[in-house]
Amino acid sequence: MKKMQNALEFSHQLLSNHVNAGDTVIDGTVGNGHDTLFLAQLVGSRGTVYGFDIQERAIQQTQERLTAAPINHTHVHLFNRGHQEIASVLPPMAQVSGAIFNLGYLPGGNKQLITHAETTIQGLRGCISHLTVGGIIVIVVYYGHPGGQTEKNQVDNFCAALPQKQFAVLKYEFINQVHQPPFVLGIQKVS
Amino acid sequence: MKKMQNALEFSHQLLSNHVNAGDTVIDGTVGNGHDTLFLAQLVGSRGTVYGFDIQERAIQQTQERLTAAPINHTHVHLFNRGHQEIASVLPPMAQVSGAIFNLGYLPGGNKQLITHAETTIQGLRGCISHLTVGGIIVIVVYYGHPGGQTEKNQVDNFCAALPQKQFAVLKYEFINQVHQPPFVLGIQKVS
Protein backbone atom coordinates (compact mmCIF):
# COMPACT_ATOMS: atom_id res chain seq x y z
CA MET A 1 0.00 0.00 0.00
CA LYS A 2 1.23 3.45 -0.90
CA LYS A 3 0.44 5.63 2.10
CA MET A 4 -0.16 9.35 2.02
CA GLN A 5 3.11 11.18 2.63
CA ASN A 6 3.90 11.70 6.32
CA ALA A 7 5.18 15.03 7.63
CA LEU A 8 8.85 14.21 6.99
CA GLU A 9 8.21 13.00 3.43
CA PHE A 10 6.00 15.99 2.65
CA SER A 11 8.60 18.43 4.03
CA HIS A 12 11.15 17.03 1.58
CA GLN A 13 8.57 17.05 -1.22
CA LEU A 14 7.97 20.78 -0.70
CA LEU A 15 11.71 21.53 -0.71
CA SER A 16 12.23 19.42 -3.84
CA ASN A 17 9.37 21.24 -5.58
CA HIS A 18 10.72 24.72 -4.91
CA VAL A 19 14.51 24.49 -4.59
CA ASN A 20 16.80 24.08 -7.61
CA ALA A 21 20.42 23.11 -8.12
CA GLY A 22 22.70 26.08 -7.47
CA ASP A 23 20.35 27.70 -4.93
CA THR A 24 21.17 28.93 -1.44
CA VAL A 25 19.26 27.25 1.41
CA ILE A 26 19.16 27.15 5.21
CA ASP A 27 18.84 24.34 7.73
CA GLY A 28 17.67 26.17 10.84
CA THR A 29 17.99 23.09 13.09
CA VAL A 30 20.61 20.70 11.72
CA GLY A 31 20.03 18.14 14.51
CA ASN A 32 21.31 14.75 13.37
CA GLY A 33 22.08 16.16 9.90
CA HIS A 34 19.59 14.22 7.78
CA ASP A 35 17.98 17.36 6.37
CA THR A 36 21.34 19.09 5.94
CA LEU A 37 22.53 16.23 3.76
CA PHE A 38 19.23 16.26 1.86
CA LEU A 39 19.63 20.00 1.19
CA ALA A 40 23.30 19.59 0.21
CA GLN A 41 22.27 17.06 -2.44
CA LEU A 42 19.33 19.18 -3.59
CA VAL A 43 21.37 22.33 -4.31
CA GLY A 44 24.50 20.47 -5.43
CA SER A 45 28.07 21.73 -5.29
CA ARG A 46 27.19 24.96 -7.11
CA GLY A 47 24.69 25.79 -4.35
CA THR A 48 25.19 26.86 -0.74
CA VAL A 49 23.81 25.42 2.50
CA TYR A 50 23.90 27.33 5.80
CA GLY A 51 23.25 25.08 8.79
CA PHE A 52 22.56 26.20 12.36
CA ASP A 53 22.34 24.40 15.68
CA ILE A 54 22.85 25.62 19.21
CA GLN A 55 24.06 22.13 20.31
CA GLU A 56 27.69 21.33 19.53
CA ARG A 57 26.84 17.63 19.41
CA ALA A 58 24.42 18.26 16.56
CA ILE A 59 27.04 20.15 14.57
CA GLN A 60 29.55 17.31 15.10
CA GLN A 61 27.04 14.62 14.07
CA THR A 62 26.11 16.57 10.98
CA GLN A 63 29.75 17.14 10.04
CA GLU A 64 30.37 13.39 10.36
CA ARG A 65 27.30 12.55 8.29
CA LEU A 66 28.39 14.92 5.53
CA THR A 67 31.94 13.57 5.54
CA ALA A 68 30.69 9.98 5.31
CA ALA A 69 28.33 10.76 2.42
CA PRO A 70 29.53 10.32 -1.16
CA ILE A 71 29.22 14.01 -1.95
CA ASN A 72 31.36 17.09 -2.06
CA HIS A 73 30.27 19.14 0.95
CA THR A 74 32.52 22.18 0.77
CA HIS A 75 29.38 24.19 -0.02
CA VAL A 76 27.87 23.39 3.39
CA HIS A 77 28.61 25.93 6.11
CA LEU A 78 27.76 24.84 9.65
CA PHE A 79 27.40 27.26 12.55
CA ASN A 80 27.24 26.23 16.21
CA ARG A 81 24.82 29.09 16.84
CA GLY A 82 21.07 29.31 17.34
CA HIS A 83 18.80 30.00 14.38
CA GLN A 84 17.88 33.36 15.94
CA GLU A 85 21.27 34.48 14.58
CA ILE A 86 20.53 33.60 10.95
CA ALA A 87 20.06 37.24 9.94
CA SER A 88 23.44 38.25 11.39
CA VAL A 89 25.37 35.28 9.92
CA LEU A 90 24.10 35.32 6.33
CA PRO A 91 25.73 37.70 3.84
CA PRO A 92 23.39 40.72 3.68
CA MET A 93 22.55 40.19 0.00
CA ALA A 94 22.06 36.39 0.19
CA GLN A 95 18.91 35.21 -1.58
CA VAL A 96 17.49 32.01 -0.14
CA SER A 97 15.03 29.72 -1.97
CA GLY A 98 14.49 27.19 0.80
CA ALA A 99 14.79 26.67 4.54
CA ILE A 100 13.82 23.97 6.98
CA PHE A 101 13.17 24.00 10.72
CA ASN A 102 12.48 20.91 12.84
CA LEU A 103 10.91 22.09 16.08
CA GLY A 104 11.24 20.10 19.29
CA TYR A 105 14.34 18.39 20.71
CA LEU A 106 17.38 16.68 19.19
CA PRO A 107 16.48 13.00 18.65
CA GLY A 108 18.70 10.97 20.93
CA GLY A 109 19.84 14.10 22.74
CA ASN A 110 18.80 15.96 25.87
CA LYS A 111 15.00 16.28 25.79
CA GLN A 112 15.21 19.33 28.06
CA LEU A 113 16.88 21.27 25.28
CA ILE A 114 13.96 22.23 23.07
CA THR A 115 13.29 24.92 20.53
CA HIS A 116 11.27 27.86 21.86
CA ALA A 117 8.73 30.06 20.12
CA GLU A 118 10.63 33.30 20.63
CA THR A 119 13.91 32.18 19.08
CA THR A 120 12.12 30.04 16.46
CA ILE A 121 10.17 33.09 15.28
CA GLN A 122 13.37 35.18 15.26
CA GLY A 123 14.90 32.49 13.05
CA LEU A 124 11.88 32.48 10.75
CA ARG A 125 12.04 36.27 10.46
CA GLY A 126 15.73 35.96 9.57
CA CYS A 127 14.92 33.50 6.79
CA ILE A 128 12.00 35.58 5.55
CA SER A 129 14.23 38.63 5.19
CA HIS A 130 16.43 36.65 2.75
CA LEU A 131 13.67 34.68 1.00
CA THR A 132 13.40 35.02 -2.75
CA VAL A 133 10.01 35.24 -4.51
CA GLY A 134 8.84 31.66 -4.97
CA GLY A 135 11.10 30.49 -2.14
CA ILE A 136 9.77 28.39 0.71
CA ILE A 137 10.33 27.91 4.43
CA VAL A 138 9.29 24.48 5.70
CA ILE A 139 8.63 23.92 9.41
CA VAL A 140 8.14 20.43 10.81
CA VAL A 141 6.35 20.96 14.12
CA TYR A 142 6.88 18.27 16.76
CA TYR A 143 4.84 19.26 19.80
CA GLY A 144 4.14 16.13 21.87
CA HIS A 145 6.86 16.99 24.44
CA PRO A 146 6.50 19.33 27.46
CA GLY A 147 6.57 22.90 26.14
CA GLY A 148 5.75 21.78 22.61
CA GLN A 149 2.14 22.90 22.68
CA THR A 150 3.10 26.46 23.64
CA GLU A 151 5.62 26.77 20.83
CA LYS A 152 3.17 25.18 18.37
CA ASN A 153 0.47 27.73 19.17
CA GLN A 154 2.76 30.73 18.88
CA VAL A 155 4.39 29.55 15.66
CA ASP A 156 0.95 28.75 14.22
CA ASN A 157 -0.25 32.25 15.09
CA PHE A 158 2.86 33.88 13.65
CA CYS A 159 2.44 32.00 10.37
CA ALA A 160 -1.33 32.54 10.11
CA ALA A 161 -0.77 36.30 10.52
CA LEU A 162 1.67 36.62 7.60
CA PRO A 163 0.09 38.93 4.99
CA GLN A 164 -1.41 36.95 2.12
CA LYS A 165 -0.28 39.46 -0.51
CA GLN A 166 3.34 38.51 0.20
CA PHE A 167 3.01 34.96 1.56
CA ALA A 168 0.99 31.78 1.17
CA VAL A 169 1.01 29.65 4.32
CA LEU A 170 0.08 25.99 4.04
CA LYS A 171 -0.64 23.58 6.87
CA TYR A 172 -0.37 19.81 6.23
CA GLU A 173 -1.66 17.83 9.18
CA PHE A 174 -3.08 14.42 10.07
CA ILE A 175 -6.13 15.24 12.19
CA ASN A 176 -7.33 11.87 13.53
CA GLN A 177 -4.17 10.78 15.34
CA VAL A 178 -4.05 10.30 19.11
CA HIS A 179 -0.29 10.67 19.59
CA GLN A 180 0.29 14.14 18.16
CA PRO A 181 2.43 13.31 15.13
CA PRO A 182 4.34 16.26 13.67
CA PHE A 183 2.67 18.51 11.10
CA VAL A 184 4.15 20.71 8.40
CA LEU A 185 3.88 24.44 7.80
CA GLY A 186 5.01 25.81 4.45
CA ILE A 187 5.59 29.55 4.03
CA GLN A 188 6.04 30.62 0.41
CA LYS A 189 6.90 34.16 -0.62
CA VAL A 190 4.50 34.90 -3.48
CA SER A 191 5.39 38.54 -4.26
CA MET B 1 7.20 31.12 -10.00
CA LYS B 2 5.99 27.64 -9.16
CA LYS B 3 3.37 28.09 -6.46
CA MET B 4 2.46 25.51 -3.84
CA GLN B 5 -0.44 23.40 -5.11
CA ASN B 6 -3.85 24.89 -4.40
CA ALA B 7 -6.72 22.76 -3.06
CA LEU B 8 -7.94 21.71 -6.51
CA GLU B 9 -4.45 20.74 -7.69
CA PHE B 10 -3.69 18.88 -4.48
CA SER B 11 -7.01 16.97 -4.65
CA HIS B 12 -6.03 15.67 -8.10
CA GLN B 13 -2.50 14.92 -6.88
CA LEU B 14 -3.88 12.71 -4.10
CA LEU B 15 -6.16 10.85 -6.51
CA SER B 16 -3.31 10.38 -9.01
CA ASN B 17 -1.08 9.04 -6.25
CA HIS B 18 -3.54 6.41 -5.04
CA VAL B 19 -5.75 5.45 -8.00
CA ASN B 20 -4.54 3.18 -10.80
CA ALA B 21 -5.76 2.31 -14.29
CA GLY B 22 -8.54 -0.28 -14.10
CA ASP B 23 -9.78 0.85 -10.67
CA THR B 24 -13.33 1.71 -9.61
CA VAL B 25 -13.89 5.27 -8.37
CA ILE B 26 -16.70 7.61 -7.31
CA ASP B 27 -17.46 11.24 -8.01
CA GLY B 28 -19.85 12.13 -5.20
CA THR B 29 -20.65 15.58 -6.63
CA VAL B 30 -20.19 15.61 -10.41
CA GLY B 31 -21.13 19.32 -10.70
CA ASN B 32 -19.73 20.67 -13.97
CA GLY B 33 -18.00 17.35 -14.67
CA HIS B 34 -14.36 18.40 -14.50
CA ASP B 35 -13.50 15.86 -11.81
CA THR B 36 -15.61 13.14 -13.48
CA LEU B 37 -13.58 13.56 -16.66
CA PHE B 38 -10.35 13.57 -14.64
CA LEU B 39 -11.36 10.31 -12.94
CA ALA B 40 -12.46 8.74 -16.24
CA GLN B 41 -9.00 9.42 -17.67
CA LEU B 42 -7.27 8.22 -14.51
CA VAL B 43 -8.92 4.78 -14.42
CA GLY B 44 -9.12 4.41 -18.22
CA SER B 45 -11.60 2.32 -20.16
CA ARG B 46 -10.85 -0.81 -18.09
CA GLY B 47 -11.91 1.06 -14.94
CA THR B 48 -15.30 2.23 -13.71
CA VAL B 49 -16.53 5.65 -12.61
CA TYR B 50 -19.77 6.15 -10.66
CA GLY B 51 -20.92 9.77 -10.67
CA PHE B 52 -23.67 11.28 -8.50
CA ASP B 53 -25.45 14.62 -8.48
CA ILE B 54 -28.85 15.61 -7.20
CA GLN B 55 -29.12 18.37 -9.85
CA GLU B 56 -30.22 17.25 -13.31
CA ARG B 57 -28.36 20.18 -14.85
CA ALA B 58 -25.08 18.89 -13.41
CA ILE B 59 -25.65 15.42 -14.87
CA GLN B 60 -26.42 16.95 -18.29
CA GLN B 61 -23.33 19.19 -18.22
CA THR B 62 -21.15 16.28 -17.22
CA GLN B 63 -22.59 14.03 -19.94
CA GLU B 64 -21.86 16.76 -22.49
CA ARG B 65 -18.31 17.23 -21.21
CA LEU B 66 -17.62 13.51 -21.40
CA THR B 67 -19.09 13.26 -24.90
CA ALA B 68 -16.99 16.20 -26.11
CA ALA B 69 -13.77 14.76 -24.65
CA PRO B 70 -11.52 12.59 -26.81
CA ILE B 71 -12.05 9.53 -24.62
CA ASN B 72 -14.20 6.45 -24.49
CA HIS B 73 -16.64 7.09 -21.64
CA THR B 74 -18.79 3.98 -21.63
CA HIS B 75 -17.17 3.13 -18.28
CA VAL B 76 -18.69 6.24 -16.64
CA HIS B 77 -22.06 5.72 -14.99
CA LEU B 78 -23.93 8.88 -14.00
CA PHE B 79 -26.81 8.93 -11.53
CA ASN B 80 -29.15 11.87 -11.00
CA ARG B 81 -29.33 10.99 -7.32
CA GLY B 82 -27.75 12.44 -4.19
CA HIS B 83 -24.52 11.00 -2.85
CA GLN B 84 -26.39 9.78 0.24
CA GLU B 85 -27.58 6.96 -2.08
CA ILE B 86 -24.08 5.75 -3.02
CA ALA B 87 -24.34 2.66 -0.81
CA SER B 88 -27.63 1.58 -2.40
CA VAL B 89 -26.52 2.24 -6.00
CA LEU B 90 -23.11 0.54 -6.00
CA PRO B 91 -22.91 -3.21 -6.56
CA PRO B 92 -22.57 -4.71 -3.05
CA MET B 93 -19.14 -6.18 -3.73
CA ALA B 94 -17.68 -3.12 -5.51
CA GLN B 95 -14.20 -2.18 -4.26
CA VAL B 96 -13.42 1.50 -4.65
CA SER B 97 -9.88 2.97 -4.62
CA GLY B 98 -10.81 6.63 -4.92
CA ALA B 99 -13.66 9.08 -4.42
CA ILE B 100 -14.04 12.83 -4.59
CA PHE B 101 -16.56 15.22 -3.06
CA ASN B 102 -16.71 18.94 -3.77
CA LEU B 103 -18.74 20.54 -0.99
CA GLY B 104 -20.69 23.76 -1.54
CA TYR B 105 -22.86 24.77 -4.51
CA LEU B 106 -22.74 24.05 -8.24
CA PRO B 107 -20.53 26.75 -9.84
CA GLY B 108 -22.76 28.81 -12.14
CA GLY B 109 -25.88 27.18 -10.66
CA ASN B 110 -28.36 28.02 -7.92
CA LYS B 111 -26.35 29.07 -4.87
CA GLN B 112 -29.26 28.10 -2.63
CA LEU B 113 -28.72 24.44 -3.54
CA ILE B 114 -25.80 23.46 -1.33
CA THR B 115 -24.44 20.25 0.07
CA HIS B 116 -25.39 19.58 3.69
CA ALA B 117 -23.46 17.83 6.44
CA GLU B 118 -26.02 15.10 7.02
CA THR B 119 -26.22 13.87 3.42
CA THR B 120 -22.50 14.52 2.83
CA ILE B 121 -21.61 12.28 5.77
CA GLN B 122 -24.07 9.62 4.54
CA GLY B 123 -22.27 9.76 1.20
CA LEU B 124 -18.86 9.49 2.89
CA ARG B 125 -20.06 6.49 4.89
CA GLY B 126 -21.27 4.90 1.66
CA CYS B 127 -17.84 5.35 0.07
CA ILE B 128 -16.03 4.14 3.19
CA SER B 129 -18.04 0.89 3.16
CA HIS B 130 -16.67 0.15 -0.34
CA LEU B 131 -13.15 1.54 0.15
CA THR B 132 -10.25 -0.82 -0.48
CA VAL B 133 -7.15 -0.81 1.76
CA GLY B 134 -4.90 1.96 0.42
CA GLY B 135 -7.89 3.67 -1.21
CA ILE B 136 -8.61 7.35 -0.63
CA ILE B 137 -11.59 9.68 -0.32
CA VAL B 138 -10.79 13.29 -1.18
CA ILE B 139 -13.07 16.10 0.00
CA VAL B 140 -12.65 19.65 -1.29
CA VAL B 141 -14.40 21.81 1.29
CA TYR B 142 -15.75 25.15 0.03
CA TYR B 143 -17.32 26.93 3.01
CA GLY B 144 -17.43 30.67 2.26
CA HIS B 145 -21.18 30.57 1.40
CA PRO B 146 -24.10 30.77 3.87
CA GLY B 147 -24.38 27.37 5.53
CA GLY B 148 -20.86 26.39 4.53
CA GLN B 149 -19.34 26.88 7.96
CA THR B 150 -21.84 24.50 9.59
CA GLU B 151 -21.18 21.76 7.07
CA LYS B 152 -17.41 22.33 7.35
CA ASN B 153 -17.44 21.88 11.13
CA GLN B 154 -19.53 18.72 11.04
CA VAL B 155 -17.53 17.12 8.22
CA ASP B 156 -14.29 18.08 9.99
CA ASN B 157 -15.53 16.45 13.19
CA PHE B 158 -16.68 13.31 11.38
CA CYS B 159 -13.28 12.92 9.70
CA ALA B 160 -11.25 13.69 12.84
CA ALA B 161 -13.18 10.98 14.71
CA LEU B 162 -12.36 8.19 12.23
CA PRO B 163 -10.33 5.53 14.09
CA GLN B 164 -6.63 5.82 13.28
CA LYS B 165 -6.13 2.06 13.18
CA GLN B 166 -8.29 1.91 10.04
CA PHE B 167 -7.90 5.41 8.59
CA ALA B 168 -5.40 8.21 8.16
CA VAL B 169 -7.07 11.60 7.78
CA LEU B 170 -5.06 14.44 6.27
CA LYS B 171 -5.98 18.11 6.17
CA TYR B 172 -4.32 20.39 3.59
CA GLU B 173 -5.18 24.02 4.22
CA PHE B 174 -3.89 27.53 3.55
CA ILE B 175 -4.15 29.24 6.94
CA ASN B 176 -3.34 32.91 6.26
CA GLN B 177 -6.05 33.66 3.68
CA VAL B 178 -8.83 36.17 4.34
CA HIS B 179 -11.36 34.86 1.83
CA GLN B 180 -11.82 31.28 3.03
CA PRO B 181 -10.37 29.37 0.08
CA PRO B 182 -11.31 25.69 -0.05
CA PHE B 183 -9.24 23.14 1.83
CA VAL B 184 -8.74 19.42 1.26
CA LEU B 185 -9.46 16.44 3.49
CA GLY B 186 -7.99 13.09 2.50
CA ILE B 187 -9.29 9.90 4.13
CA GLN B 188 -7.14 6.84 3.43
CA LYS B 189 -8.05 3.35 4.57
CA VAL B 190 -4.83 1.98 6.04
CA SER B 191 -5.99 -1.44 7.28
Side-chain angles (χ1 to χ4, degrees), chain B residues 129-149:
Chain B
S129 67
H130 288 275
L131 201 61
T132 189
V133 172
I136 194 165
I137 301 169
V138 178
I139 314 167
V140 184
V141 185
Y142 294 82
Y143 63 99
H145 57 284
Q149 194 79 37

